Amino acid sequence: MSHMPQQAALSKCPSCAEPLEPGDRYCGACGYDLSVVPAPPQDHPTLTMNASGRSAPGGVAWPVAPEPDSSGTPAAVHLPTDLPGTDSGGSPLRAPAPAADPAAPGVRFDRPQEPEEYRLQAPDPRVAAESAPTAETPQVCVACRAGRVDDDGYCENCGHAQPRERDHMERESGPIAAVSDRGLRHHRNEDAFAVGNTALPDGSPAAVAVVCDGVSSATRPDEASLAASQAAGEALLSALPRGTHPQQAMHEAIVAASRAVNALAGEPAGDREHAPHQNAPACTIVGAVVTSGLLVVGWVGDSRAYWVPVDRGAPSARLTEDDSWAAQMVAAGLMTEAEAYADERAHAITGWLGADAYELEPHTASFKPDRPGVVVVCTDGLWNYAETAEEMAEAMPLDAAVRPLHSARVLVGHALDGGGHDNVTVALVPFPAPPQGAGSA
């Protein structure tokens, strides 16, 4: 008969933790057979550091705490990083790397060197920042907020078309501000604008605003409006400092805009053969030049300019006459204005910029207002919802002369709240032009 190894007496039952008496072979609470308890494993208890400096069992050489010096200064404290250690396999740990350079906060340099066969997937950011620009974060769909947007502007997850840059534009240039929005019904924004400031030869300020509306039935109307607004704006900001009269400068600016739109029609003959139904790009234009004492407007088409005085007790006025079927009916005395603009043919234009226009007839007019006010330069996407001068004045905030950008946003919001059936663009130019340094935007 073999003998079981002698075990140390148990103080409690290993099954139910009930206290045991010396010599118990079974637990009095749960009946657990105490004779089958295995022998305890060979344990290596944690050792405390003694002051003698002798090697503790197991061969671990603990460092000796230095004695205090004669001055009574306590011995230096050992930090955890001062003591050597081993990993779970018993191998010595690597010495810690030098501390990180304080000149590079937030970057750690104490990462162990990776084996050659386990290269990092991403390059070291410190090296990448010097060698190549950081990759752009993929654009996320505004509709599903999950899919990535492809190069064509559509979500790869839900197929939703993403907003384009011209869907909503805002710009503020000194005292002038302009806002353009795609509206609620159109698939793109075919309006465009240009605003800027300059100085006349005598040093007095001049402000410029140009608004163009692409003709939707024409080819590439968005390109036509953009080309026309940029050409007219550049022409005005170039001619006024040279001393050209503002009304003459406006006429020349409209001619320059017309040439820019005509140039878009210069397609190769082969392209026209494959798409014979396409017509020439076209747009309307309206612009305003405001100086310290003179207000000049110019237009072709049915985009408009309004005058709204700061003192709303004074009358507002429409400064332009439409090149449209409705305007012709009213001028001929065949219909009242209300009847003409209620007709479905009201917005058929009779004048526009484009290679297929019958004849370019720029309209210009000069005014000398006797009081401060604001010039509203806009497309029919706005004035469809504020047609008369009184309605436009009512829709515009009272502080438009000092907060033009805010007021332009309010007017665009007025059109969107009304239905937003068309693109909406408006520029606000306070009169008289306040003293400003020369510049443009």
Side-chain angles (χ1 to χ4, degrees):
M1 180 177 180
S2 61
H3 294 276
M4 296 291 293
Q6 187 176 3
Q7 304 176 27
L10 299 177
S11 61
K12 60 182 179 179
C13 175
S15 175
C16 65
E18 180 72 14
L20 302 175
E21 295 293 335
D24 285 347
R25 299 181 62 184
Y26 295 93
C27 175
C30 67
Y32 187 82
D33 187 356
L34 301 176
S35 63
V36 300
V37 177
Q42 294 296 322
D43 190 18
H44 298 284
T46 302
L47 302 177
T48 58
M49 184 165 51
N50 56 31
S52 63
R54 292 175 298 186
S55 297
V60 179
W62 297 99
V64 179
E67 298 291 338
D69 57 21
S70 58
S71 63
T73 303
V77 178
H78 284 283
L79 299 177
T81 52
D82 296 333
L83 304 177
T86 60
D87 58 20
S88 58
S91 302
L93 295 177
R94 297 183 181 181
D101 183 359
V107 180
R108 295 193 55 162
F109 295 86
D110 56 352
R111 181 182 177 91
Q113 184 177 2
E114 296 287 342
E116 186 65 25
E117 62 271 23
Y118 297 109
R119 295 185 178 181
L120 296 176
Q121 294 182 354
D124 187 333
R126 292 164 291 167
V127 178
E130 300 175 358
S131 60
T134 304
E136 296 183 0
T137 303
Q139 182 181 350
V140 178
C141 175
V142 299
C144 67
R145 305 303 302 171
R148 191 181 72 86
V149 179
D150 60 21
D151 295 337
D152 295 330
Y154 290 86
C155 175
E156 295 179 346
N157 179 50
C158 67
H160 189 90
Q162 304 303 295
R164 285 167 282 223
E165 181 181 0
R166 287 180 62 177
D167 282 359
H168 185 88
M169 302 179 293
E170 297 184 359
R171 187 168 302 168
E172 194 170 23
S173 178
I176 319 169
V179 176
S180 181
D181 192 89
R182 178 172 61 93
L184 305 179
R185 302 294 182 88
H186 277 230
H187 70 285
R188 64 180 174 186
N189 190 359
E190 297 170 355
D191 290 356
F193 64 80
V195 294
N197 302 281
T198 187
L200 302 179
D202 62 358
S204 61
V208 170
V210 177
V211 169
C212 296
D213 184 356
V215 178
S216 296
S217 60
T219 302
R220 297 167 15 232
D222 54 331
E223 296 181 27
S225 62
L226 182 62
S229 61
Q230 290 180 340
E234 292 172 359
L236 287 169
L237 294 173
S238 175
L240 292 173
R242 296 199 305 263
T244 306
H245 189 279
Q247 191 165 357
Q248 178 63 29
M250 179 62 72
H251 180 93
E252 295 174 356
I254 294 176
V255 173
S258 176
R259 291 172 180 165
V261 177
N262 292 348
L264 297 177
E267 300 174 342
D271 292 345
R272 290 194 296 272
E273 291 175 2
H274 293 294
H277 62 282
Q278 293 187 352
N279 51 11
C283 69
T284 68
I285 186 171
V286 62
V289 174
V290 172
T291 67
S292 58
L294 185 67
L295 162 60
V296 174
V297 295
W299 73 97
V300 173
D302 63 348
S303 294
R304 294 180 176 180
Y306 291 83
W307 163 257
V308 179
V310 171
D311 177 11
R312 298 301 171 84
S316 302
R318 199 175 93 195
L319 306 179
T320 59
E321 292 291 339
D322 298 344
D323 289 323
S324 67
W325 179 90
Q328 286 189 345
M329 294 297 104
V330 174
L334 300 177
M335 304 176 76
T336 65
E337 188 169 8
E339 293 172 340
Y341 283 101
D343 193 284
E344 61 181 6
R345 297 165 290 181
H347 291 279
I349 58 176
T350 59
W352 63 89
L353 304 182
D356 57 356
Y358 299 120
E359 185 178 356
L360 177 62
E361 296 182 1
H363 310 291
T364 61
S366 296
F367 305 90
K368 290 186 177 181
D370 60 353
R371 66 196 67 204
V374 177
V375 182
V376 181
V377 185
C378 65
T379 62
D380 60 346
L382 172 59
W383 66 253
N384 279 334
Y385 302 97
E387 188 171 328
T388 67
E390 292 73 23
E391 291 172 336
M392 185 65 71
E394 184 178 353
M396 192 167 67
L398 296 175
D399 59 352
V402 294
R403 298 180 66 194
L405 181 57
H406 166 76
S407 301
R409 291 169 177 163
V410 170
L411 290 175
V412 170
H414 175 77
L416 297 180
D417 291 342
H421 286 72
D422 200 355
N423 306 144
V424 188
T425 302
V426 58
L428 300 182
V429 189
F431 176 89
Q436 295 263 340
S440 63

